[in-house]
Amino acid sequence: MHCWNILKHEKKWDDRCSSKKQKTTSNTSPGRSTPTSIESRFDVHVEALTLERTNSRPDDKKEKERQCQDRSLRLDSPFVAWPGSGAARAQGGARASMETAGAGGRRGTVKQLNVGGKLFALEVSSLSLSLSLEAFPIFVDRDPALLSAILSAIRAPSAAPAFPAGVLLDEAHFYGLHAQLLAALSPPPLLGFSASLASTLSPASEPFHTALAALHDGSLCLAHGAGLLTYYSPALDHLTTFRTHLHRITSLRQLPPGLAVAGSSFSPGLHVYDFLEGRHVASVQWSDPTDLRVQKAKVIAIAARPPADAADKNTPILATFECPHRENCILVFDPVTLKPIQEIGRQSGSAAKSSVPGRVVHLQDLGLVFAASVSSGAFGYSGYMRLWDIRSGDMVWETSEPGGKGRSSRFGDPFADADVDVKQHILYKVCSKSGDIGAADLRCLGNDPWVYMSSGPRGNGGGHGSVLHCYKSQVFVSRKDGLEVWSRLEEQSNGTCNLAEQPRAKENLNSEGINENCFMSSYVDTEEDAKRGMIQTMEGGGDRLFLTREEMQGVEVWQSSHLAGAISLS
């Protein structure tokens, strides 16, 4: 062809072509058609090929895009796995980056990943990887079986994962699917009446617990033995165990991310540890330059970032301190600098009604601090409950039993434990003799704000040694014969609720308080579960309830099953 372009205009070539005899017959057949020059025949051939390609390529491209779009419209999830690999599959997947419209109008870019030789198609918005727009498919040198198991777990949360949950969660961090996988592996919402024992966590060494601290994501920090701290991930996988400088940890709270605040009734100070790195971060002491007796104060209780406010970094840390001469107070610390910013409720501690609070709760919505102290002896229980304004430091409400400020219709039946529901703003207590549950609305407290609820025949053993814990608008009460849960039910559409007809009668409803709700109770565990021992501590985290029993090793994990729950027939 190159030679023809050079020689076609030479005189010798023109004379030679003109001397040939040309046929003049009509083009009735291919054998009788008038021959054309090489140039003209070549130009026509090139033009035909050009037209054929230009006319066919757009159609092929549109057809392939239409097929890809049709295939993308059939996706029920942004995660699609294409098993197998090969040249043909790779060529077809090279055009998988496209804008797809779902049934609900959702649009997202689907990209291919070649993970260890196996192709996966995933929506870009679900990934945290920095993927290039030019190269397809993108090669990732990781185990494809793990990614396939992650996608399967997200699609079918009720199915058992093919790998341990900790392994899948670590791998999901790389693809940015950790939050979705964690939600799929988490148990259903905690319902006390349908909860059951799921597992038992037991540290490898010194398994006798001393304190618990659960977080809103379901993770658990456990203090056990001689100052040991063990951390379990939200999937309840053991991550780390290290020894602190404390002899025995009696109060513990988690500070996300990766910090634990610990105190001991045997050692002074409030201490912060990084349990992911296993090191001591800081220590805080209570001191008063005007009173030299205030020194070597020990921490009795800690309140730090309740689950509803875990994302609030400005929530202060509250801790109750007690000096060797029994003087005590509530200190408020800045969560960033760990410096004391306020002192609340300082008292001498010379009597039971001025002893150090054993429970403290920060009611951030109301701007209040709840503190309770309970002591028991040969003559029964005695204690107090108080509310302080965190802004001014003044006490706004107080009740003490038996006798003292604030009357109670249950004289001679003091409370054994008390707690606050931070969401519903209701104060609960369990009576030590009768075992009844008392409830009071924090928004309308008076001299006798209590509404009492009696348990069934199984709960007639009284409330001695009972532990009360409020979590997810439910009240869990430990008794000698098992674990009881109380929940509130909305009244009927007519706005009335005849409590006298209920099997567990309610009495003394306060017309200004919580008379618009009804309460129902049920037992969480069975009689066989109760035989393992009396419940000593309870802590809620995520959709789980963590329990420890007296003289028993390990921590029990209670949660609802995926098969439990009510189905509406309306």
Side-chain angles (χ1 to χ4, degrees), residues 172-194:
H173 271 294
F174 177 79
Y175 300 100
L177 302 174
H178 182 269
Q180 301 178 48
L181 179 61
L182 182 59
L185 296 178
S186 299
L190 179 63
L191 299 176
F193 65 87
S194 64

Side-chain angles (χ1 to χ4, degrees), residues 186-311:
S186 299
L190 179 63
L191 299 176
F193 65 87
S194 64
S196 60
L197 179 62
S199 61
T200 301
L201 305 177
S202 183
S205 62
E206 303 181 31
F208 290 96
H209 67 280
T210 58
L212 297 178
L215 207 58
H216 62 93
D217 59 355
S219 61
L220 177 68
C221 188
L222 172 64
H224 57 98
L228 291 174
L229 280 181
T230 298
Y231 177 70
Y232 294 91
S233 69
L236 299 184
D237 290 327
H238 175 265
L239 293 184
T240 181
T241 297
F242 68 97
R243 187 177 297 275
T244 66
H245 72 284
L246 300 176
H247 175 68
R248 181 182 175 90
I249 299 175
T250 56
S251 55
L252 184 66
R253 282 294 180 267
Q254 285 196 57
L255 292 179
L259 297 179
V261 182
S264 174
S265 58
F266 302 92
S267 303
L270 181 70
H271 310 278
V272 182
Y273 295 92
D274 188 336
F275 51 75
L276 297 180
E277 298 182 2
R279 62 184 181 89
H280 178 260
V281 177
S283 295
V284 183
Q285 302 288 341
W286 178 33
S287 61
D288 186 358
T290 62
D291 189 353
L292 299 180
R293 299 178 304 165
V294 179
Q295 57 181 344
K296 297 182 179 181
K298 304 172 184 178
V299 174
I300 306 300
I302 305 173
R305 296 185 189 177
D309 305 317

Side-chain angles (χ1 to χ4, degrees), residues 45-380:
H45 180 65
V46 172
E47 183 179 1
L49 290 177
T50 305
L51 291 176
E52 182 180 359
R53 293 179 179 178
T54 55
N55 293 333
S56 62
R57 287 186 62 184
D59 295 337
D60 294 343
K61 185 176 181 180
K62 291 180 180 180
E63 180 65 20
K64 291 180 180 180
E65 290 180 355
R66 185 184 64 80
Q67 294 177 0
C68 293
Q69 291 176 358
D70 293 341
R71 183 170 62 250
S72 65
L73 291 175
R74 294 192 297 268
L75 303 181
D76 297 332
S77 170
F79 313 103
V80 184
W82 290 348
S85 60
R89 181 64 60 86
Q91 291 177 1
R95 300 183 180 89
S97 177
M98 54 191 171
E99 296 294 327
T100 60
R106 184 188 62 184
R107 301 185 64 85
T109 303
V110 177
K111 290 188 177 183
Q112 279 198 59
L113 294 180
N114 184 354
V115 182
K118 183 177 180 179
L119 293 180
F120 295 84
L122 297 94
E123 190 175 353
V124 176
S125 60
S126 63
L127 298 174
S128 64
L129 299 175
S130 299
L131 302 179
S132 174
L133 295 176
E134 291 81 9
F136 290 102
I138 299 173
F139 179 75
V140 180
D141 190 12
R142 313 244 343 159
D143 190 354
L146 292 178
L147 180 57
S148 180
I150 291 173
L151 300 181
S152 299
I154 295 176
R155 295 192 192 101
S158 59
F163 293 88
V167 176
L168 296 182
L169 289 173
D170 291 341
E171 185 72 9
H173 271 294
F174 177 79
Y175 300 100
L177 302 174
H178 182 269
Q180 301 178 48
L181 179 61
L182 182 59
L185 296 178
S186 299
L190 179 63
L191 299 176
F193 65 87
S194 64
S196 60
L197 179 62
S199 61
T200 301
L201 305 177
S202 183
S205 62
E206 303 181 31
F208 290 96
H209 67 280
T210 58
L212 297 178
L215 207 58
H216 62 93
D217 59 355
S219 61
L220 177 68
C221 188
L222 172 64
H224 57 98
L228 291 174
L229 280 181
T230 298
Y231 177 70
Y232 294 91
S233 69
L236 299 184
D237 290 327
H238 175 265
L239 293 184
T240 181
T241 297
F242 68 97
R243 187 177 297 275
T244 66
H245 72 284
L246 300 176
H247 175 68
R248 181 182 175 90
I249 299 175
T250 56
S251 55
L252 184 66
R253 282 294 180 267
Q254 285 196 57
L255 292 179
L259 297 179
V261 182
S264 174
S265 58
F266 302 92
S267 303
L270 181 70
H271 310 278
V272 182
Y273 295 92
D274 188 336
F275 51 75
L276 297 180
E277 298 182 2
R279 62 184 181 89
H280 178 260
V281 177
S283 295
V284 183
Q285 302 288 341
W286 178 33
S287 61
D288 186 358
T290 62
D291 189 353
L292 299 180
R293 299 178 304 165
V294 179
Q295 57 181 344
K296 297 182 179 181
K298 304 172 184 178
V299 174
I300 306 300
I302 305 173
R305 296 185 189 177
D309 305 317
D312 187 3
K313 298 182 179 180
N314 297 322
T315 303
I317 302 173
L318 284 77
T320 60
F321 284 79
E322 184 182 28
C323 294
H325 64 284
R326 304 292 299 278
E327 189 169 359
N328 59 83
C329 78
I330 301 175
L331 282 184
V332 183
F333 297 92
D334 185 272
V336 179
T337 61
L338 296 179
K339 293 183 178 180
I341 57 178
Q342 191 176 3
E343 182 180 296
I344 300 176
R346 186 168 178 174
Q347 50 191 359
S348 62
S350 58
K353 296 180 181 179
S354 61
S355 59
V356 58
R359 185 190 295 270
V360 58
V361 180
H362 182 200
L363 303 173
Q364 188 175 10
D365 296 340
L366 301 179
L368 300 175
V369 176
F370 169 79
S373 175
V374 180
S375 60
S376 61
F379 299 98

Side-chain angles (χ1 to χ4, degrees), residues 464-528:
H464 181 79
S466 296
V467 178
L468 188 145
H469 179 64
C470 298
Y471 188 65
K472 287 189 176 294
S473 302
Q474 302 173 90
V475 183
F476 296 89
V477 184
S478 66
R479 302 185 184 275
K480 293 181 180 180
D481 54 355
L483 177 61
E484 187 181 21
V485 57
W486 288 84
S487 58
R488 297 203 307 168
L489 300 177
E490 296 295 334
E491 293 185 351
Q492 303 298 327
S493 58
N494 56 9
T496 60
C497 184
N498 190 359
L499 300 180
E501 299 179 358
Q502 299 293 334
R504 298 172 178 85
K506 317 302 181 297
E507 54 186 3
N508 293 343
L509 283 177
N510 189 343
S511 59
E512 298 179 357
I514 54 177
N515 59 337
E516 297 180 356
N517 301 280
C518 297
F519 293 82
M520 291 298 295
S521 67
S522 61
Y523 270 80
V524 179
D525 56 355
T526 62
E527 295 182 358
E528 288 75 12

Side-chain angles (χ1 to χ4, degrees), residues 1 24 223 247 315 383 395 539 558:
M1 185 63 195
T24 58
H247 175 68
T315 303
M395 185 176 61
E539 188 76 18
W558 290 72

